Amino acid sequence: MLSYGLLGPLALIRSGQPVTVPRGPKVRQLLGLFLCRANRPVSLNDLVDELWGENPPDTAEGTLRTHVHRLRRFLESEGPQSGLLQTRSAGYLLRVAPGLLDAESFEQAARQGRELSRARHWDEAADRLRQALGLWRGPALDDVAHGRLLSEHVAHLEELRTSTTQAWIEAERELGHHRELIPELRALVEAHPLNEWLHEQLIDLLALCGRRPEALDAYRRLWHVLDDELGLEPSPALQRLHHRILTPAHPAPARPAPARATGRALGTRTHHRKGTSCATAI
């Protein structure tokens, strides 16, 4: 029985071993769209739109049926349970059994993780969200051509990946795993340099862990990226965070007033500045 991977290059797996994906670019594109809409009908108009956009050739429908025929033969060659491509009155539908599509498993695990977070079960939430993110192997369907419809599906998956990553970071912060998050956040801001939320988390955690120079350097790097790429400054929230890092939490005590002419020096109280600590690993 085949399982299918959309969360990275298009992948087909049987008994833990990769199966050669069809080579034809339009057949692969069709398979990608059918998998994104698994167990739901896809109309002929949508399929033509996906493959050729607004200017399909006169032979589009016939060529489409040829590509579908090739895809059906491929699936049938992998066994009767590998996926049933059904013809419908106005299009086609690909049957995929539960648990055989990584995108479906990802969405289910991410939903469960968010529910656990809402219930404040942080340990379980972090584990479930980490499992969901672990299903990703790279950008969704990055080796398949994208028409309008497939682009929309891929954008939806990538947006879910981003929101799930944020939920996982929040759960880990609730558990106090600050130091462990810093290398993860460094990798994330490298991969997503314009995501200000990720930068904010990195800068904040560096400061919380007593690494103020690194936090300020991370802010400067973000400032340059935004200025160079978009001509923008960091968001007001990030600017406020930057100001808090620059401003000591407890101002230095005022110098004691001179002693009065009574022959007694005024005593001074010792002030201890409370240092910022970083939660250790659990």
Side-chain angles (χ1 to χ4, degrees), residues 93-157:
L93 180 149
L94 179 62
R95 292 284 183 196
V96 179
L100 297 183
L101 183 60
D102 64 354
E104 179 185 63
S105 299
F106 162 71
E107 293 193 40
Q108 182 180 17
R111 183 170 56 253
Q112 292 170 348
R114 288 191 293 270
E115 290 171 354
L116 288 164
S117 291
R118 284 192 290 270
R120 304 186 67 81
H121 299 315
W122 301 117
D123 271 316
E124 296 171 79
D127 286 344
R128 202 73 184 104
L129 293 166
R130 190 184 303 110
Q131 291 170 12
L133 293 168
L135 294 172
W136 284 78
R137 296 168 287 108
L141 290 174
D142 67 345
D143 62 343
V144 174
H146 296 172
R148 179 181 64 85
L149 298 174
L150 204 48
S151 293
E152 291 174 359
H153 284 290
V154 166
H156 170 71
L157 288 171

Side-chain angles (χ1 to χ4, degrees), residues 26 29-30 44 46-57 59-65 67 147:
K26 291 200 180 299
Q29 194 173 352
L30 281 176
L44 288 174
D46 280 351
L47 292 168
V48 169
D49 183 19
E50 171 61 29
L51 294 185
W52 291 284
E54 296 180 355
N55 299 300
T59 58
E61 189 169 326
T63 304
L64 170 64
R65 294 185 188 281
H67 291 319

Side-chain angles (χ1 to χ4, degrees), residues 33-94:
L33 183 58
F34 282 133
L35 289 171
C36 284
R37 292 194 182 179
N39 303 308
R40 291 178 289 166
V42 186
S43 70
L44 288 174
N45 287 339
D46 280 351
L47 292 168
V48 169
D49 183 19
E50 171 61 29
L51 294 185
W52 291 284
E54 296 180 355
N55 299 300
D58 294 337
T59 58
E61 189 169 326
T63 304
L64 170 64
R65 294 185 188 281
T66 299
H67 291 319
V68 170
H69 176 69
R70 290 174 180 167
L71 178 57
R72 179 181 279 126
R73 286 183 58 189
F74 167 80
L75 293 172
E76 289 174 349
S77 72
E78 295 298 328
Q81 295 180 320
S82 296
L84 180 61
L85 185 54
Q86 300 176 341
T87 302
R88 295 300 178 90
S89 58
Y92 301 92
L93 180 149
L94 179 62

Side-chain angles (χ1 to χ4, degrees), residues 166-187:
Q166 293 181 354
W168 171 71
I169 290 169
E170 289 167 353
E172 292 286 352
R173 288 197 63 157
E174 290 288 343
L175 292 168
H177 295 172
H178 297 165
R179 283 195 174 91
E180 294 83 352
L181 277 172
I182 287 174
E184 299 276 0
L185 283 165
R186 287 195 189 279

